[in-house]
Amino acid sequence: MSDDFTREFSAGLRAAGVVGAGGAGFPACVKAAARAEFVIANAAECEPLLKKDRTLLELHPEKVLDGLELMMRSTGASKGFVGIKKKHSALSASLGEAARSRRNISVAPLGDYYPAGDEQCLVYDITGRVTPMGGIPLAAGCVVANVETLFNAASAAGGPGTEKYITVAGAVRKPATLKVPVGISWAEAVELSGGFGVPDPAGIDGGPMMGKVITDFSLPVTKCSGGLIVLPKNHRLIVKKSAGRPAFSRVGRSACDQCSYCTELCPRYLLGHSVQPHRAMRSLMFSGGPLIHSEYALLCCECSLCSLYSCPEGLSPSEICAAAKADLRGMKKNFGDSELNSGRPVSAHPVREERKVPVSRLVRRLGLADYAADAPYLEHEYKPARVRILMRQHAGAPCSPVVEAGRKVRKGEVVGDLPADKLGCPVHASIAGTVSKANGEFVEITAE
Ligand code: SF4
Ligand code: SF4
């Protein structure tokens, strides 16, 4: 490790716009500039039905390992791991073979549970370390990066990544995993997957657990997109995830019996953290106003396990926790100031292993068993007529357009940027063409 290498590598990642490709969109340049003992490639892909990370590892294992090595060198890490579920035995074995020629990289087998890919669960499962309450994996000596992020990091010296691996699954005619230009619409991605398989579809942008419901399929694929799950609009998962705050608060207030199953199965509670969704639910019943004051929600990672699996009443503790966090943010209260922040070291719950939720059981509970078909990789070079490059595709500050309508742009050219002192990355044209629209939300490019 040298400071010069770290500086250059990190600057290269920022210039190439490399961000967390697993959904979070955290700029990779910030992780590359940190100091860590371990770097973990997150290949857990625990969201049901998605398989773009696995596909990428099958297609380009060496490049992902190159990215892992670069990140290790940049952070000064002495050891690298690829965290992948042991059920993918053939891929794990070939990755282990590929890693043998690399110094200090090994494959770490994971159980088939949700959320194995939660970064704090991953850190614990691989290193045995619990991330301190309110901290990030770096506080446990670890940098965690999605495998596609590492793939893009290894490619960054050759220019920005302008393509995205995604899975389109559920109620489509031919579920598929695809490589597509960033900025194509979800409707185009569905078309590449054979078209809608139901007359009145809705989609979940991301995995079924943490993704957001969309009904407007003209929305674009971004650098953080993991995939789209298409379902009938009246599927119970779509209906549940579409409920607004007034509805889930009202039902929660009247129906929660305080059984505490939501807490007992919460993956962060089982790591020893002070998150207790049943207490957040309890605060609904005693709250004198519309705001939720429960600090027991502050360390919730919004994995949705409590709402979509644990609660026997079908209530929405995850959404209540998210609402409480937003309310507390508005009141300028954070975990650092909370009485729950005892500062004491925490340890995982003694029965954590027994309480892990198998993905197969989760798939049945979500009503997705009929949609759990394979989504094979579809080799296809898609040339869109136009793309929309969103100005916000990462954590931090949004970009502003640096091109105007009528301007010709090259593939890979910067079309949106932000000041160097702000958290974020530039965004790039994914096709060559002419800018047809540019505003604070997106730059639209029409192909040549
Ligand atoms: S599991 Fe459901 S009913 Fe039980 S405490 Fe949690 S929200 Fe209430
Ligand atoms: S969403 Fe629910 S289960 Fe997940 S971390 Fe938050 S409280 Fe725990």
Side-chain angles (χ1 to χ4, degrees):
M1 178 259 302
S2 81
D3 286 349
D4 284 349
F5 176 80
T6 302
R7 246 190 315 274
E8 272 171 38
F9 181 58
S10 178
L13 294 183
R14 192 179 199 279
V18 180
V19 300
F26 194 78
C29 55
V30 178
K31 292 188 178 183
R35 287 286 164 268
E37 291 170 69
F38 307 125
V39 178
I40 300 173
N42 188 351
E45 201 158 49
C46 56
E47 282 271 14
L49 275 54
L50 297 186
K51 60 168 288 196
K52 64 103 180 155
D53 288 340
R54 224 173 340 133
T55 301
L56 186 60
L57 278 171
E58 283 163 0
L59 294 171
H60 303 290
E62 297 292 347
K63 196 122 202 187
V64 174
L65 294 178
D66 287 348
L68 178 54
E69 267 185 352
L70 286 166
M71 196 60 96
M72 288 166 63
R73 185 173 167 203
S74 186
T75 57
S78 58
K79 182 94 187 116
F81 298 96
V82 182
I84 184 165
K85 291 183 174 176
K86 53 177 168 266
K87 73 173 180 178
H88 306 308
S89 51
L91 179 56
S92 296
S94 67
L95 273 173
E97 196 53 47
R100 226 184 294 284
S101 60
R102 316 255 178 171
R103 277 199 319 130
N104 301 328
I105 292 182
S106 56
V107 173
L110 306 170
D112 188 18
Y113 79 98
Y114 181 85
D118 169 66
E119 58 180 14
Q120 297 197 10
C121 290
L122 195 65
V123 165
Y124 181 73
D125 284 335
I126 293 178
T127 70
R129 297 179 179 182
V130 176
T131 303
M133 289 198 289
I136 58 173
L138 204 55
C142 300
V143 159
V144 178
N146 172 264
V147 290
E148 192 178 2
T149 313
L150 294 172
F151 173 84
N152 290 336
S155 315
T162 56
E163 285 162 329
K164 186 75 190 78
Y165 285 84
I166 53 169
T167 296
V168 181
V172 290
R173 292 208 173 85
K174 288 186 184 159
T177 299
L178 312 155
K179 183 173 77 168
V180 297
V182 169
I184 71 161
S185 69
W186 283 117
E188 289 168 286
V190 169
E191 211 44 52
L192 289 170
S193 310
F196 292 110
V198 287
D200 200 9
I204 303 177
D205 178 354
M209 296 299 284
M210 295 184 75
K212 304 274 178 252
V213 171
I214 62 164
T215 49
D216 176 3
F217 291 95
S218 70
L219 291 170
V221 171
T222 73
K223 292 192 279 187
C224 319
S225 301
L228 185 76
I229 312 298
V230 176
L231 293 169
K233 217 176 245 173
N234 61 0
H235 188 282
R236 66 174 190 261
L237 189 54
I238 298 291
V239 174
K240 174 96 194 271
K241 286 176 84 81
S242 302
R245 181 166 172 170
F248 62 68
S249 299
R250 190 179 59 249
V251 178
R253 186 177 295 120
S254 60
C256 176
D257 61 12
Q258 287 292 290
C259 69
S260 82
Y261 281 21
C262 48
T263 295
E264 295 297 335
L265 290 172
C266 169
R268 292 293 179 93
Y269 170 78
L270 291 169
L271 282 176
H273 286 191
S274 286
V275 51
Q276 298 193 30
H278 78 285
R279 291 200 189 223
M281 294 297 286
R282 189 186 300 169
S283 73
L284 281 180
M285 302 164 208
F286 300 113
S287 157
L291 299 179
I292 307 170
H293 290 258
S294 179
E295 294 181 356
Y296 284 99
L298 282 168
L299 297 184
C300 164
C301 66
E302 297 175 39
C303 72
S304 291
L305 194 68
C306 49
S307 294
L308 298 177
Y309 181 86
S310 314
C311 178
E313 310 290 344
L315 306 181
S316 304
S318 173
E319 287 75 4
I320 292 297
C321 285
K325 287 199 297 183
D327 290 352
L328 290 166
R329 245 191 332 270
M331 292 178 245
K332 306 272 183 273
K333 290 187 181 169
N334 57 49
F335 188 75
D337 308 325
S338 162
E339 283 184 15
L340 300 177
N341 184 19
S342 63
R344 68 182 163 81
V346 287
S347 53
H349 199 288
V351 295
R352 176 176 181 268
E353 278 304 312
E354 289 71 40
R355 290 202 189 153
K356 286 177 172 175
V357 172
V359 170
S360 55
R361 203 180 297 160
L362 180 62
V363 166
R364 288 196 297 277
R365 184 72 63 87
L366 295 173
L368 293 178
D370 290 345
Y371 300 103
D374 187 24
Y377 181 59
L378 186 68
E379 184 94 52
H380 182 87
E381 197 190 343
Y382 183 59
K383 296 202 164 141
R386 71 179 56 78
V387 291
R388 278 192 174 182
I389 308 297
L390 291 189
M391 293 295 104
R392 185 184 280 282
Q393 298 192 43
H394 49 254
C399 291
S400 300
V402 295
V403 291
E404 63 296 326
R407 159 97 177 263
K408 283 200 177 306
V409 290
R410 287 169 284 108
K411 181 179 174 181
E413 189 174 333
V414 173
V415 295
D417 209 346
L418 72 174
D421 61 339
K422 298 276 187 211
L423 179 67
C425 287
V427 291
H428 303 82
S430 60
I431 59 170
T434 304
V435 174
S436 35
K437 282 183 196 154
N439 55 45
E441 197 188 335
F442 62 82
V443 166
E444 184 183 84
I445 303 162
T446 301
E448 286 173 335

